[in-house]
Amino acid sequence: MKFTIITICKNAKDLLQRTIESVLKQDYLKYEYIIIDGASQDGTLDILYSYNYPQMQVYSEPDGGISEAFNKGIERSSGEFLLFLNSGDFLVKNNVLSLVADDIEKQNAEIYTYAIHTYMNACWPKDLECGLALWNESLIPHQASFIHRKVFEKIGCFNPHFKVRMDYDFFCRCKKAKIKFFCRPEVITHYDITGISATNRFLHDKEGLAVQLLYKDDVGEKEKMQMESLLKEVILTGDGARREEMDRLRISASKNRVLVQVMDKWLRILFEGRSLSQYFIKRNIKTVAIYGWGYLGRNLKTELEKNNIRVLYCIDQNKKGSGIYSWEDEWMDVDCIVITPFYSYDEICNRIEKKGFYNCISFEELLNDASFL
């Protein structure tokens, strides 16, 4: 049985090498490795052409985006099962293909999904129950999913109207077509968080909503036609969008660029065996509150509690729930409040002062402290 691994890239010279080498080190040799480059100009091609392996094929030409590049890889493939491993992602073990080949021999499925590793040493899906739930929601990770080539013959390739959620759309079609699915929640892929779906959350969420509308079971044919028209003409292209919506897009993109930089720095700290918890341990800080119950706040709480730092509550004006306080609530005393938003720090501190005397530190301060341990 033969695998095809497809990597798409454009101007990715700083990310590509670890992806390529994780594939070429596999101990199962019945595979082809197809790299679709979008006419890079940053030295990516120099890296690609420096490899001389018979399994590796490189194609470089302009394309219309991720979906079109994926589809070019499918057209050139000859393997029975296909894996889409993006630049920056990498296989975590040298026996990944052997593991998958063994499962294929024993199981009768058309899609074999495994787990991806992310920052904070988290994996997704974390167990079989989670994997089946993700399949039911069409949210399995494509970076760790091996897809039989007959699936593309049955339901088609990736929809080029989507810029970032083409995998969500594809797996929705798989689910509706009753494609046979197998899940082993063992980590095989490290997922890079600097891709477009992570950095442009506005587009990610907007396309996700479009997919949900397209595949709702209780939507009639007439409504589906209207949604498809909306999808092509408005939701993805932005035609007719209001000025406020475009302003929101620009603000969101700017904030998310900073967020990805912050997460990348945090990830490097963790990989080097250091922890943000050391800041609190050194200062004998035992109780903490977190301002901002977003991406950073949730993951900071997880790390601190793993290291026996008590997070007594979180503060967020826009979220409600157990342990989440608003400005109107009475706050318990804590040794310090960590402010996770990477903007308006002084403004937030000034507002906290009106609630009483609290020692405030910024998330940036935690990162800088950990960087010099």
Side-chain angles (χ1 to χ4, degrees):
M1 192 211 26
K2 181 180 178 182
F3 293 106
T4 297
I5 301 172
I6 297 170
T7 293
I8 65 170
C9 61
K10 183 175 182 180
N11 296 330
K13 66 181 179 67
D14 296 328
L15 298 174
L16 198 53
Q17 191 167 1
R18 62 184 180 182
T19 306
I20 295 172
E21 293 183 359
S22 76
V23 174
L24 298 180
K25 289 178 181 178
Q26 291 299 302
D27 61 9
Y28 185 96
L29 300 180
K30 294 180 181 179
Y31 71 89
E32 62 181 0
Y33 189 24
I34 298 176
I35 300 182
I36 305 295
D37 175 73
S40 293
Q41 301 293 324
D42 70 335
T44 293
L45 291 175
D46 293 334
I47 293 174
L48 292 177
Y49 292 138
S50 70
Y51 290 92
N52 183 22
Y53 285 80
Q55 296 107 318
M56 187 169 163
Q57 307 168 35
V58 177
Y59 303 91
S60 181
E61 60 187 10
D63 58 52
I66 296 172
S67 293
E68 184 178 321
F70 277 164
N71 293 340
K72 285 182 178 181
I74 295 169
E75 291 171 6
R76 293 178 165 100
S77 69
S78 60
E80 188 175 353
F81 281 88
L82 284 67
L83 170 69
F84 298 87
L85 190 71
N86 297 339
S87 55
D89 303 336
F90 57 88
L91 302 176
V92 299
K93 301 174 184 176
N94 295 345
N95 66 340
V96 168
L97 297 185
S98 297
L99 169 72
V100 178
D102 187 55
D103 282 339
I104 292 172
E105 288 293 323
K106 297 175 182 177
Q107 306 295 328
N108 180 27
E110 296 166 285
I111 295 178
Y112 291 78
T113 289
Y114 300 83
I116 58 173
H117 178 275
T118 62
Y119 58 90
M120 295 288 297
N121 292 324
C123 69
W124 176 65
K126 60 183 180 180
D127 52 37
L128 182 58
E129 182 180 0
C130 178
L132 295 176
L134 290 174
W135 171 248
N136 287 331
E137 295 298 325
S138 306
L139 292 170
I140 59 174
H142 76 262
Q143 304 90 343
S145 295
F146 289 77
I147 306 165
H148 198 292
R149 64 181 311 102
K150 289 183 179 178
V151 173
F152 299 103
E153 297 170 8
K154 288 181 183 179
I155 70 166
C157 294
F158 293 95
N159 187 338
H161 290 299
F162 289 99
K163 303 303 179 187
V164 296
R165 299 305 301 273
M166 67 292 298
D167 53 343
Y168 185 23
D169 168 81
F170 177 79
F171 289 128
C172 277
R173 287 185 277 134
C174 288
K175 184 69 170 55
K176 292 187 77 70
K178 295 181 168 47
I179 299 300
K180 295 177 183 178
F181 173 73
F182 170 84
C183 178
R184 178 192 292 275
E186 179 175 340
V187 175
I188 67 165
T189 303
H190 176 82
Y191 168 55
D192 180 71
I193 63 171
T194 61
I196 187 172
S197 63
T199 55
N200 193 338
R201 297 302 299 181
F202 185 86
L203 181 59
H204 178 277
D205 294 343
K206 200 156 79 162
E207 290 192 0
L209 175 61
V211 173
Q212 292 170 27
L213 291 174
L214 284 170
Y215 295 102
K216 283 179 64 176
D217 291 332
D218 58 349
V219 174
E221 289 303 315
K222 182 178 180 181
E223 288 80 7
K224 278 193 176 182
M225 290 176 62
Q226 291 173 336
M227 288 177 187
E228 288 176 355
S229 175
L230 180 67
L231 174 65
K232 295 174 183 177
E233 296 176 11
V234 180
I235 293 180
L236 299 184
T237 64
D239 295 343
R242 296 175 302 167
R243 178 179 295 275
E244 305 94 276
E245 185 178 38
M246 298 309 295
D247 288 342
R248 232 175 13 250
L249 172 60
R250 283 192 291 272
I251 293 170
S252 175
S254 176
K255 287 183 178 179
N256 277 300
R257 276 194 296 272
V258 178
L259 176 59
V260 168
Q261 292 169 0
V262 170
M263 291 306 302
D264 182 64
K265 187 173 183 179
W266 191 359
L267 180 63
R268 293 176 188 276
I269 288 170
L270 289 169
F271 278 175
E272 291 168 4
R274 291 172 279 142
S275 168
L276 303 190
S277 299
Q278 292 301 315
Y279 180 96
F280 304 96
I281 294 170
K282 286 189 299 184
R283 293 163 178 80
N284 199 30
I285 295 173
K286 297 180 179 178
T287 58
V288 173
I290 296 175
Y291 178 90
W293 191 234
Y295 213 50
L296 295 179
R298 292 193 299 272
N299 288 290
L300 177 61
K301 183 175 186 289
T302 300
E303 179 177 340
L304 294 183
E305 291 181 341
K306 281 182 179 178
N307 291 279
N308 299 316
I309 309 296
R310 294 181 62 202
V311 180
L312 296 189
Y313 57 92
C314 301
I315 307 159
D316 198 301
Q317 188 65 30
N318 300 315
K319 305 281 190 343
K320 300 295 181 184
S322 176
I324 303 177
Y325 290 7
S326 69
W327 289 104
E328 291 74 29
D329 295 324
E330 291 293 326
W331 297 357
M332 291 184 288
D333 289 336
V334 290
D335 293 334
C336 75
I337 297 177
V338 182
I339 298 174
T340 61
F342 34 82
Y343 52 89
S344 305
Y345 174 73
D346 291 337
E347 180 183 334
I348 294 169
C349 284
N350 291 336
R351 192 171 182 188
I352 289 176
E353 281 184 6
K354 297 177 182 178
K355 295 287 294 185
F357 177 77
Y358 291 95
N359 177 32
C360 296
I361 62 170
S362 69
F363 192 82
E364 182 179 11
E365 185 178 347
L366 292 182
L367 287 178
N368 289 337
D369 182 79
S371 296
F372 291 101
L373 284 177

